[in-house]
Amino acid sequence: MELFKIEPGLFIWTWISFGLLLLILSKFVFPALLGGVKERERKIAESMDKAEEIERRLAKIESERETLVAEARKKADEILRGVRSEAGELKDKLSAKAADEAERILEDARRKIDTERETMINALRDDLADFVCEASGRLIGSSVSGDKEREMARKLVDEL
Amino acid sequence: MAGGGGSVDISEVLFKHVANGDALDLFPMVPEIPLPFGMTVHCFMLFLSTALILLLFVPVFKRPSCRVSGLAVALESVVLFVRNDIVYPVMGEKRGEVWLPFMATLFIFILTMNFVGLVPAFKTATGNINVTSALAVLVMLLIFVVGFKNLGFVRFFKNMWPDDTPLLVGVFILVLEVVGLFIKSMVLSLRLFANMFAGHLAILAFIAMIFTLSAWFAFVSVPFAVFTYLLEVLIALIQAFVFTLLSCLFIDMASTAHG
């Protein structure tokens, strides 16, 4: 049958063509192709390893950061608590000091007022004694201006 | 092609289009082109496929600057397909690396011959039993050579002898296994040949119906022929894959001790 005709020439040429192809591809194509692929695969594997390493480091850094943030927060809270308590104490101290100062100022003012009043009363008494001496002198028609009369007039004013 | 005059044997015309010849019969109206040096059409297609592979692969991978082009990536993916889907899963990485050039060449060779045959007016070299047999015989020889080299002559045959079997049964199985090695190779050859031959014949048969039945039949036969052609593209790929995969399996099985 035409379909199954044996053609030794074609048979041998198939082997020769295949052998030639295998030889040329193995010598010039596959080493370059597979070498390139292997190099790329190696680079990809390296990149993957690096990426994994970076991810691990990132996770570590993240956990360290979280620890640091927690510690910092804790410290900040402590400092804030300390500052608040110090501020409270300072405020109390300052309030007490201000109250003392106010009391002292008030006391001084009171003392000054008293002194002033005393001075004024004395001046008034002196003036009144002078007036009494003047009035008495006019009544009796002679001058009453000696120290003795003035002392008496002062006693009278004090008694009054 | 002859009209519906009845003087032309249609089967003869069909077979002439798929069978081997000594002149290129490109189109019905174009005169045949005689081939030089007594070369047959299938032989010419064989050389054309070989030249095409060399023209595609060698310039691309010889110059490092070309290795990043789209063509290089496409060619590389073919080799990687053979490596990752055929050779490594069957033989493992270590042995696969040794066999990869052979298997990749086999796959590319068969695939190119199948695809060249799909070009209109061209013929399929793998549609000739001599081409497929040559490849199958090569695989069969490799099965024996690699088997003897890896296991040794006695162990190669002992490998086919089932354990704890009576002598007669053992001999019978051994004979069956040895005959099986030849049959496997024959089937490998026949499968590729039949698939490529039948596909082309089916397309031609659909087209021939237009001339034998009625011109109106073109509305049915042309879509069917196009569908069969698309199916042929798939078959060309599948057959190259099957041939390479089975070759890989047979060589691995024969050269590995089991049991």
Side-chain angles (χ1 to χ4, degrees):
Chain A
M1 199 178 168
E2 179 84 10
L3 269 180
F4 295 99
K5 198 176 116 187
I6 295 169
E7 297 170 58
L10 188 57
F11 195 95
I12 289 165
W13 277 118
T14 306
W15 273 14
I16 293 169
S17 300
F18 182 75
L20 190 78
L21 258 184
L22 183 60
L23 196 79
I24 295 172
L25 293 185
S26 299
K27 197 163 171 58
F28 299 111
V29 175
F30 293 136
L33 189 153
L34 295 169
V37 169
K38 268 191 183 166
E39 180 63 23
R40 218 163 45 229
E41 282 174 345
R42 191 185 60 77
K43 275 183 187 168
I44 290 168
E46 265 181 23
S47 301
M48 294 283 280
D49 286 348
K50 271 184 193 168
E52 273 175 23
E53 179 63 33
I54 287 167
E55 211 171 305
R56 262 200 305 276
R57 268 195 220 164
L58 209 66
K60 200 180 159 191
I61 288 167
E62 182 67 18
S63 95
E64 278 176 4
R65 189 190 66 85
E66 275 173 16
T67 314
L68 281 174
V69 166
E71 272 177 22
R73 200 166 281 157
K74 203 175 153 189
K75 269 186 188 169
D77 283 347
E78 273 173 21
I79 290 166
L80 213 63
R81 263 201 303 277
V83 166
R84 270 185 194 144
S85 118
E86 273 178 24
E89 280 172 18
L90 198 66
K91 190 180 140 195
D92 290 347
K93 264 186 201 171
L94 284 173
S95 298
K97 202 178 167 185
D100 286 353
E101 189 72 11
E103 188 63 33
R104 195 182 54 76
I105 290 165
L106 218 61
E107 195 60 38
D108 279 357
R110 272 189 204 127
R111 221 172 16 247
K112 270 185 186 171
I113 289 165
D114 285 349
T115 311
E116 286 293 317
R117 197 178 65 181
E118 197 70 30
T119 311
M120 280 174 70
I121 289 168
N122 283 337
L124 196 66
R125 276 178 182 162
D126 284 347
D127 286 348
L128 205 59
D130 287 345
F131 176 71
V132 168
C133 283
E134 186 70 33
S136 301
R138 290 227 181 140
L139 277 174
I140 58 173
S142 72
S143 173
V144 184
S145 57
D147 288 341
K148 202 176 169 184
E149 287 84 16
R150 247 182 108 75
E151 190 63 34
M152 280 175 68
R154 181 74 188 258
K155 270 186 187 170
L156 183 70
V157 169
D158 286 345
E159 279 170 14
L160 283 173
Chain B
M1 194 172 277
S7 59
V8 175
D9 180 6
I10 197 72
S11 66
E12 195 183 302
V13 174
L14 287 182
F15 273 103
K16 189 173 174 278
H17 275 278
V18 286
N20 207 356
D22 50 9
L24 267 178
D25 179 19
L26 293 175
F27 295 101
M29 301 303 161
V30 179
E32 287 186 348
I33 306 163
L35 291 165
F37 314 115
M39 199 192 293
T40 60
V41 178
H42 284 157
C43 197
F44 175 73
M45 293 298 157
L46 185 81
F47 293 154
L48 186 71
S49 307
T50 310
L52 200 66
I53 294 167
L54 292 178
L55 279 173
L56 275 173
F57 277 87
V58 177
V60 171
F61 290 100
K62 223 181 165 191
R63 280 177 291 160
S65 58
C66 295
R67 282 177 210 156
V68 284
S69 66
L71 180 65
V73 173
L75 297 175
E76 193 181 281
S77 65
V78 174
V79 178
L80 287 182
F81 167 72
V82 177
R83 187 189 78 168
N84 299 335
D85 292 300
I86 301 175
V87 182
Y88 279 8
V90 174
M91 293 181 153
E93 228 169 277
K94 206 179 164 191
R95 288 192 67 212
E97 223 164 272
V98 181
W99 281 97
L100 181 60
F102 177 83
M103 293 300 168
T105 309
L106 189 67
F107 179 81
I108 293 163
F109 191 44
I110 295 169
L111 188 71
T112 312
M113 282 193 287
N114 291 350
F115 278 154
V116 163
L118 287 174
V119 176
F122 278 15
K123 289 187 181 183
T124 321
T126 40
N128 188 309
I129 191 81
N130 291 283
V131 175
T132 56
S133 296
L135 295 173
V137 167
L138 186 70
V139 172
M140 189 185 69
L141 288 176
L142 278 173
I143 289 172
F144 283 104
V145 170
V146 177
F148 291 159
K149 193 183 162 221
N150 282 12
L151 304 172
F153 186 80
V154 179
R155 207 163 158 224
F156 176 78
F157 290 105
K158 208 179 158 195
N159 208 21
M160 298 174 192
W161 189 285
D163 293 332
D164 308 322
T165 349
L167 185 72
L168 271 174
V169 179
V171 170
F172 179 68
I173 289 171
L174 179 69
V175 171
L176 265 184
E177 285 282 343
V178 174
V179 172
L181 284 180
F182 291 96
I183 290 172
K184 274 177 196 169
S185 306
M186 213 164 79
V187 169
L188 210 59
S189 149
L190 278 173
R191 185 187 298 111
L192 179 60
F193 157 71
N195 273 287
M196 298 322 295
F197 177 81
H200 284 65
L201 207 63
I203 295 169
L204 286 169
F206 279 124
I207 300 297
M209 280 178 187
I210 302 168
F211 301 96
T212 52
L213 299 174
S214 156
W216 291 102
F217 206 76
F219 289 107
V220 179
S221 63
V222 170
F224 268 94
V226 171
F227 173 73
T228 315
Y229 182 84
L230 294 175
L231 206 65
E232 271 288 282
V233 176
L234 193 69
I235 288 168
L237 263 167
I238 292 170
Q239 285 311 312
F241 173 74
V242 167
F243 195 102
T244 316
L245 179 71
L246 289 178
S247 304
C248 203
L249 263 171
F250 295 158
I251 290 171
D252 187 66
M253 276 167 68
S255 58
T256 317
H258 31 86

